[in-house]
Amino acid sequence: MRFANARLPDGSTVDIEVEGGRIAALSPPSPLRAPTADTTDLRGALVLPPLVDGHIHLDKTLLGLPWVPNQAAGNRVADRIEAERRVRAARTVSEFETGANLVRQIVATGTLHMRSHVDIDHQLGLRNLHEVLKIREHFRGLVTIEIVAFPQSGILKSPGTAELLDEAIAQGADLVGGLDPRSIDDDQQGHLDTVFGIAARRGVGIDLHLHDPGQAGLAQILDIASRTEAGGLGGRVAISHAFALGSVPPDDAARAADTLARAGVSIMSHGPGGASIPPLKLLKEHGVEIFSGSDNIRDAWSPFGNGDMLERAMMVGYRANFRHDEDLALAFEMVTAAPARILGLADYGLAAGGPADFVAVDASSVAEAVATRRPRRLVVKAGRVVAANGTLVL
Ligand SMILES: [Zn+2]
């Protein structure tokens, strides 16, 4: 099988030879090589590795349902948690169904790997985990889904949640999460003791939501970094949002970046609309791994989002005031190679011998792909076309 006339990010044009679901060769097009029945001519489309969503909530989305008005009483995290409880109580369709709608939509945009946080609290128990485990099983072979056990209602304020998080790992979640130890649980030490305790006991990584701004947020970030170092968890801990890094003086952020890089703590930013964005280029220059994700898509937290990670890279670039092509390439890395490293994807990348997984888009360069985010011409998984022109063809 051959995908002919593919433009690679380095500007070269190649034919992609596929055998047994893997890339057998990337070779310059040759007039001596006649097209065969199983040749697809990409006509110079840019071919990219699969997009990776480093932070999504498959159990929260209402995608596919009639519009649900967003009616949080305020903009605090606590207000939105309450609003979500009301939306959830009115739900008549399972989280499996709406989450599956979302997976189908994002595969059509070229995302083949994701990390999903899953709500766990005293009311839900492990119900949402079970729904997302079903989604993971249903789409096995098409997408990989890493699951974070996420205490959406806090840990200490939500009785039994510590035990549920531990049990979630036993039942198939891959990482343990956390949420604003100070402002949600009012107990930084107790919250982080629990999260790092489960990680140590179960041998898993950590991905915490941290919205708290300013010096209070920074103090939690530094605490997480020092616990990561002490626990030998470098490379396996991420902080999602970390708005504080964008709201403290640049010197403080630079010092924190050195600490995070040394500890091996990565930072996820989705390009927030209503909060300070971490200084992405500064973090990168100081050696911190940065990555992106959709976060909330059409749920009680956000009316927006569509799961398109090229669009997400554009939004990150817009919020970070990226203008040069090399900056757009950094935004692109945040939705491809960087989250692939963080998710520990051993089999990732566009190379001979690698998986025949890729996305073809009409653009001349990565920067143009991010800026224009045209519908994906083709999405290919293991050599098989799974979506064309933005639509699943499975
Ligand atoms: Zn989130």
PDB file of all heavy atoms in Angstrom, residues 315-339:
ATOM      1  N   MET A 315      -5.276  28.203  19.406  1.00  0.00           N
ATOM      2  CA  MET A 315      -5.752  28.976  20.567  1.00  0.00           C
ATOM      3  C   MET A 315      -4.639  29.201  21.577  1.00  0.00           C
ATOM      4  O   MET A 315      -4.529  30.290  22.163  1.00  0.00           O
ATOM      5  CB  MET A 315      -6.923  28.263  21.231  1.00  0.00           C
ATOM      6  CG  MET A 315      -8.228  28.511  20.511  1.00  0.00           C
ATOM      7  SD  MET A 315      -9.609  27.946  21.499  1.00  0.00           S
ATOM      8  CE  MET A 315     -10.083  26.556  20.542  1.00  0.00           C
ATOM      9  N   VAL A 316      -3.814  28.198  21.778  1.00  0.00           N
ATOM     10  CA  VAL A 316      -2.662  28.363  22.674  1.00  0.00           C
ATOM     11  C   VAL A 316      -1.757  29.460  22.112  1.00  0.00           C
ATOM     12  O   VAL A 316      -1.316  30.356  22.841  1.00  0.00           O
ATOM     13  CB  VAL A 316      -1.896  27.020  22.823  1.00  0.00           C
ATOM     14  CG1 VAL A 316      -0.529  27.242  23.455  1.00  0.00           C
ATOM     15  CG2 VAL A 316      -2.719  26.034  23.638  1.00  0.00           C
ATOM     16  N   GLY A 317      -1.503  29.392  20.807  1.00  0.00           N
ATOM     17  CA  GLY A 317      -0.660  30.407  20.181  1.00  0.00           C
ATOM     18  C   GLY A 317      -1.264  31.801  20.264  1.00  0.00           C
ATOM     19  O   GLY A 317      -0.566  32.793  20.495  1.00  0.00           O
ATOM     20  N   TYR A 318      -2.570  31.874  20.115  1.00  0.00           N
ATOM     21  CA  TYR A 318      -3.269  33.163  20.186  1.00  0.00           C
ATOM     22  C   TYR A 318      -3.135  33.755  21.590  1.00  0.00           C
ATOM     23  O   TYR A 318      -2.787  34.922  21.767  1.00  0.00           O
ATOM     24  CB  TYR A 318      -4.745  32.945  19.826  1.00  0.00           C
ATOM     25  CG  TYR A 318      -5.575  34.200  19.805  1.00  0.00           C
ATOM     26  CD1 TYR A 318      -5.572  35.045  18.698  1.00  0.00           C
ATOM     27  CD2 TYR A 318      -6.361  34.540  20.906  1.00  0.00           C
ATOM     28  CE1 TYR A 318      -6.331  36.195  18.694  1.00  0.00           C
ATOM     29  CE2 TYR A 318      -7.124  35.694  20.903  1.00  0.00           C
ATOM     30  CZ  TYR A 318      -7.104  36.520  19.797  1.00  0.00           C
ATOM     31  OH  TYR A 318      -7.854  37.670  19.795  1.00  0.00           O
ATOM     32  N   ARG A 319      -3.405  32.915  22.599  1.00  0.00           N
ATOM     33  CA  ARG A 319      -3.338  33.392  23.983  1.00  0.00           C
ATOM     34  C   ARG A 319      -1.908  33.738  24.393  1.00  0.00           C
ATOM     35  O   ARG A 319      -1.687  34.613  25.221  1.00  0.00           O
ATOM     36  CB  ARG A 319      -3.917  32.329  24.929  1.00  0.00           C
ATOM     37  CG  ARG A 319      -5.392  32.296  24.991  1.00  0.00           C
ATOM     38  CD  ARG A 319      -5.964  33.545  25.689  1.00  0.00           C
ATOM     39  NE  ARG A 319      -5.810  33.468  27.137  1.00  0.00           N
ATOM     40  CZ  ARG A 319      -5.132  34.340  27.869  1.00  0.00           C
ATOM     41  NH1 ARG A 319      -4.530  35.355  27.307  1.00  0.00           N
ATOM     42  NH2 ARG A 319      -5.038  34.199  29.170  1.00  0.00           N
ATOM     43  N   ALA A 320      -0.932  32.997  23.833  1.00  0.00           N
ATOM     44  CA  ALA A 320       0.475  33.227  24.205  1.00  0.00           C
ATOM     45  C   ALA A 320       1.119  34.300  23.328  1.00  0.00           C
ATOM     46  O   ALA A 320       2.297  34.583  23.482  1.00  0.00           O
ATOM     47  CB  ALA A 320       1.258  31.916  24.094  1.00  0.00           C
ATOM     48  N   ASN A 321       0.340  34.863  22.424  1.00  0.00           N
ATOM     49  CA  ASN A 321       0.843  35.898  21.513  1.00  0.00           C
ATOM     50  C   ASN A 321       1.973  35.377  20.635  1.00  0.00           C
ATOM     51  O   ASN A 321       2.962  36.057  20.393  1.00  0.00           O
ATOM     52  CB  ASN A 321       1.299  37.131  22.297  1.00  0.00           C
ATOM     53  CG  ASN A 321       1.390  38.364  21.401  1.00  0.00           C
ATOM     54  OD1 ASN A 321       0.747  38.428  20.346  1.00  0.00           O
ATOM     55  ND2 ASN A 321       2.210  39.325  21.787  1.00  0.00           N
ATOM     56  N   PHE A 322       1.817  34.136  20.146  1.00  0.00           N
ATOM     57  CA  PHE A 322       2.795  33.558  19.219  1.00  0.00           C
ATOM     58  C   PHE A 322       2.531  34.143  17.826  1.00  0.00           C
ATOM     59  O   PHE A 322       1.399  34.151  17.353  1.00  0.00           O
ATOM     60  CB  PHE A 322       2.622  32.034  19.144  1.00  0.00           C
ATOM     61  CG  PHE A 322       3.115  31.287  20.362  1.00  0.00           C
ATOM     62  CD1 PHE A 322       2.922  29.911  20.452  1.00  0.00           C
ATOM     63  CD2 PHE A 322       3.778  31.934  21.396  1.00  0.00           C
ATOM     64  CE1 PHE A 322       3.366  29.206  21.559  1.00  0.00           C
ATOM     65  CE2 PHE A 322       4.231  31.227  22.510  1.00  0.00           C
ATOM     66  CZ  PHE A 322       4.023  29.856  22.580  1.00  0.00           C
ATOM     67  N   ARG A 323       3.611  34.583  17.160  1.00  0.00           N
ATOM     68  CA  ARG A 323       3.460  35.153  15.823  1.00  0.00           C
ATOM     69  C   ARG A 323       4.412  34.544  14.798  1.00  0.00           C
ATOM     70  O   ARG A 323       4.112  34.509  13.614  1.00  0.00           O
ATOM     71  CB  ARG A 323       3.650  36.670  15.870  1.00  0.00           C
ATOM     72  CG  ARG A 323       2.494  37.362  16.599  1.00  0.00           C
ATOM     73  CD  ARG A 323       2.819  38.778  17.012  1.00  0.00           C
ATOM     74  NE  ARG A 323       1.806  39.283  17.934  1.00  0.00           N
ATOM     75  CZ  ARG A 323       0.664  39.853  17.560  1.00  0.00           C
ATOM     76  NH1 ARG A 323       0.381  40.005  16.278  1.00  0.00           N
ATOM     77  NH2 ARG A 323      -0.194  40.277  18.463  1.00  0.00           N
ATOM     78  N   HIS A 324       5.583  34.099  15.260  1.00  0.00           N
ATOM     79  CA  HIS A 324       6.568  33.551  14.328  1.00  0.00           C
ATOM     80  C   HIS A 324       6.313  32.072  14.073  1.00  0.00           C
ATOM     81  O   HIS A 324       5.755  31.380  14.917  1.00  0.00           O
ATOM     82  CB  HIS A 324       7.981  33.743  14.886  1.00  0.00           C
ATOM     83  CG  HIS A 324       8.330  35.189  15.079  1.00  0.00           C
ATOM     84  ND1 HIS A 324       8.513  36.051  14.021  1.00  0.00           N
ATOM     85  CD2 HIS A 324       8.495  35.919  16.203  1.00  0.00           C
ATOM     86  CE1 HIS A 324       8.783  37.258  14.484  1.00  0.00           C
ATOM     87  NE2 HIS A 324       8.776  37.213  15.803  1.00  0.00           N
ATOM     88  N   ASP A 325       6.800  31.606  12.903  1.00  0.00           N
ATOM     89  CA  ASP A 325       6.591  30.199  12.559  1.00  0.00           C
ATOM     90  C   ASP A 325       7.176  29.261  13.608  1.00  0.00           C
ATOM     91  O   ASP A 325       6.588  28.221  13.920  1.00  0.00           O
ATOM     92  CB  ASP A 325       7.215  29.890  11.185  1.00  0.00           C
ATOM     93  CG  ASP A 325       6.298  30.324  10.046  1.00  0.00           C
ATOM     94  OD1 ASP A 325       5.381  31.143  10.290  1.00  0.00           O
ATOM     95  OD2 ASP A 325       6.506  29.843   8.911  1.00  0.00           O
ATOM     96  N   GLU A 326       8.350  29.635  14.169  1.00  0.00           N
ATOM     97  CA  GLU A 326       8.944  28.713  15.159  1.00  0.00           C
ATOM     98  C   GLU A 326       8.105  28.663  16.441  1.00  0.00           C
ATOM     99  O   GLU A 326       8.084  27.650  17.133  1.00  0.00           O
ATOM    100  CB  GLU A 326      10.413  29.056  15.462  1.00  0.00           C
ATOM    101  CG  GLU A 326      10.645  30.427  15.991  1.00  0.00           C
ATOM    102  CD  GLU A 326      11.094  31.406  14.897  1.00  0.00           C
ATOM    103  OE1 GLU A 326      10.580  31.328  13.751  1.00  0.00           O
ATOM    104  OE2 GLU A 326      11.945  32.248  15.198  1.00  0.00           O
ATOM    105  N   ASP A 327       7.386  29.757  16.741  1.00  0.00           N
ATOM    106  CA  ASP A 327       6.481  29.725  17.894  1.00  0.00           C
ATOM    107  C   ASP A 327       5.277  28.820  17.606  1.00  0.00           C
ATOM    108  O   ASP A 327       4.827  28.062  18.466  1.00  0.00           O
ATOM    109  CB  ASP A 327       5.981  31.131  18.233  1.00  0.00           C
ATOM    110  CG  ASP A 327       7.110  32.052  18.676  1.00  0.00           C
ATOM    111  OD1 ASP A 327       8.185  31.532  19.039  1.00  0.00           O
ATOM    112  OD2 ASP A 327       6.912  33.284  18.650  1.00  0.00           O
ATOM    113  N   LEU A 328       4.760  28.909  16.371  1.00  0.00           N
ATOM    114  CA  LEU A 328       3.643  28.038  16.003  1.00  0.00           C
ATOM    115  C   LEU A 328       4.084  26.577  16.009  1.00  0.00           C
ATOM    116  O   LEU A 328       3.301  25.678  16.341  1.00  0.00           O
ATOM    117  CB  LEU A 328       3.085  28.426  14.628  1.00  0.00           C
ATOM    118  CG  LEU A 328       2.500  29.837  14.537  1.00  0.00           C
ATOM    119  CD1 LEU A 328       1.861  30.059  13.169  1.00  0.00           C
ATOM    120  CD2 LEU A 328       1.479  30.095  15.632  1.00  0.00           C
ATOM    121  N   ALA A 329       5.369  26.354  15.677  1.00  0.00           N
ATOM    122  CA  ALA A 329       5.895  24.982  15.741  1.00  0.00           C
ATOM    123  C   ALA A 329       5.925  24.497  17.186  1.00  0.00           C
ATOM    124  O   ALA A 329       5.705  23.308  17.457  1.00  0.00           O
ATOM    125  CB  ALA A 329       7.291  24.922  15.114  1.00  0.00           C
ATOM    126  N   LEU A 330       6.177  25.405  18.129  1.00  0.00           N
ATOM    127  CA  LEU A 330       6.138  25.021  19.545  1.00  0.00           C
ATOM    128  C   LEU A 330       4.701  24.670  19.954  1.00  0.00           C
ATOM    129  O   LEU A 330       4.470  23.672  20.642  1.00  0.00           O
ATOM    130  CB  LEU A 330       6.676  26.169  20.418  1.00  0.00           C
ATOM    131  CG  LEU A 330       6.556  25.981  21.934  1.00  0.00           C
ATOM    132  CD1 LEU A 330       7.267  24.702  22.392  1.00  0.00           C
ATOM    133  CD2 LEU A 330       7.129  27.198  22.677  1.00  0.00           C
ATOM    134  N   ALA A 331       3.741  25.475  19.499  1.00  0.00           N
ATOM    135  CA  ALA A 331       2.335  25.158  19.794  1.00  0.00           C
ATOM    136  C   ALA A 331       1.963  23.802  19.205  1.00  0.00           C
ATOM    137  O   ALA A 331       1.234  23.011  19.825  1.00  0.00           O
ATOM    138  CB  ALA A 331       1.416  26.254  19.237  1.00  0.00           C
ATOM    139  N   PHE A 332       2.488  23.523  18.008  1.00  0.00           N
ATOM    140  CA  PHE A 332       2.222  22.222  17.368  1.00  0.00           C
ATOM    141  C   PHE A 332       2.849  21.082  18.160  1.00  0.00           C
ATOM    142  O   PHE A 332       2.237  20.025  18.350  1.00  0.00           O
ATOM    143  CB  PHE A 332       2.762  22.244  15.930  1.00  0.00           C
ATOM    144  CG  PHE A 332       2.562  20.953  15.200  1.00  0.00           C
ATOM    145  CD1 PHE A 332       1.306  20.573  14.753  1.00  0.00           C
ATOM    146  CD2 PHE A 332       3.635  20.095  14.969  1.00  0.00           C
ATOM    147  CE1 PHE A 332       1.110  19.374  14.083  1.00  0.00           C
ATOM    148  CE2 PHE A 332       3.448  18.890  14.303  1.00  0.00           C
ATOM    149  CZ  PHE A 332       2.184  18.536  13.857  1.00  0.00           C
ATOM    150  N   GLU A 333       4.064  21.311  18.649  1.00  0.00           N
ATOM    151  CA  GLU A 333       4.729  20.277  19.460  1.00  0.00           C
ATOM    152  C   GLU A 333       3.891  19.968  20.708  1.00  0.00           C
ATOM    153  O   GLU A 333       3.850  18.836  21.182  1.00  0.00           O
ATOM    154  CB  GLU A 333       6.135  20.747  19.860  1.00  0.00           C
ATOM    155  CG  GLU A 333       6.949  19.647  20.534  1.00  0.00           C
ATOM    156  CD  GLU A 333       8.245  20.144  21.159  1.00  0.00           C
ATOM    157  OE1 GLU A 333       8.524  21.360  21.109  1.00  0.00           O
ATOM    158  OE2 GLU A 333       8.964  19.303  21.717  1.00  0.00           O
ATOM    159  N   MET A 334       3.194  20.994  21.218  1.00  0.00           N
ATOM    160  CA  MET A 334       2.375  20.805  22.431  1.00  0.00           C
ATOM    161  C   MET A 334       1.154  19.920  22.188  1.00  0.00           C
ATOM    162  O   MET A 334       0.488  19.505  23.145  1.00  0.00           O
ATOM    163  CB  MET A 334       1.920  22.168  22.981  1.00  0.00           C
ATOM    164  CG  MET A 334       3.048  22.972  23.609  1.00  0.00           C
ATOM    165  SD  MET A 334       2.490  24.623  24.118  1.00  0.00           S
ATOM    166  CE  MET A 334       1.381  24.217  25.478  1.00  0.00           C
ATOM    167  N   VAL A 335       0.818  19.670  20.916  1.00  0.00           N
ATOM    168  CA  VAL A 335      -0.332  18.788  20.623  1.00  0.00           C
ATOM    169  C   VAL A 335       0.114  17.521  19.882  1.00  0.00           C
ATOM    170  O   VAL A 335      -0.741  16.789  19.363  1.00  0.00           O
ATOM    171  CB  VAL A 335      -1.430  19.533  19.817  1.00  0.00           C
ATOM    172  CG1 VAL A 335      -1.908  20.752  20.585  1.00  0.00           C
ATOM    173  CG2 VAL A 335      -0.945  19.938  18.426  1.00  0.00           C
ATOM    174  N   THR A 336       1.426  17.300  19.834  1.00  0.00           N
ATOM    175  CA  THR A 336       1.921  16.090  19.145  1.00  0.00           C
ATOM    176  C   THR A 336       3.034  15.427  19.973  1.00  0.00           C
ATOM    177  O   THR A 336       2.751  14.642  20.862  1.00  0.00           O
ATOM    178  CB  THR A 336       2.424  16.432  17.714  1.00  0.00           C
ATOM    179  OG1 THR A 336       3.271  17.604  17.768  1.00  0.00           O
ATOM    180  CG2 THR A 336       1.271  16.688  16.765  1.00  0.00           C
ATOM    181  N   ALA A 337       4.287  15.784  19.673  1.00  0.00           N
ATOM    182  CA  ALA A 337       5.421  15.063  20.277  1.00  0.00           C
ATOM    183  C   ALA A 337       5.482  15.207  21.794  1.00  0.00           C
ATOM    184  O   ALA A 337       5.818  14.247  22.503  1.00  0.00           O
ATOM    185  CB  ALA A 337       6.734  15.538  19.645  1.00  0.00           C
ATOM    186  N   ALA A 338       5.160  16.418  22.317  1.00  0.00           N
ATOM    187  CA  ALA A 338       5.280  16.621  23.769  1.00  0.00           C
ATOM    188  C   ALA A 338       4.285  15.749  24.548  1.00  0.00           C
ATOM    189  O   ALA A 338       4.695  14.993  25.433  1.00  0.00           O
ATOM    190  CB  ALA A 338       5.127  18.099  24.120  1.00  0.00           C
ATOM    191  N   PRO A 339       2.980  15.811  24.226  1.00  0.00           N
ATOM    192  CA  PRO A 339       2.081  14.904  24.955  1.00  0.00           C
ATOM    193  C   PRO A 339       2.366  13.432  24.669  1.00  0.00           C
ATOM    194  O   PRO A 339       2.124  12.584  25.527  1.00  0.00           O
ATOM    195  CB  PRO A 339       0.678  15.312  24.488  1.00  0.00           C
ATOM    196  CG  PRO A 339       0.886  16.086  23.234  1.00  0.00           C
ATOM    197  CD  PRO A 339       2.233  16.728  23.359  1.00  0.00           C
TER     198      PRO A 339
END
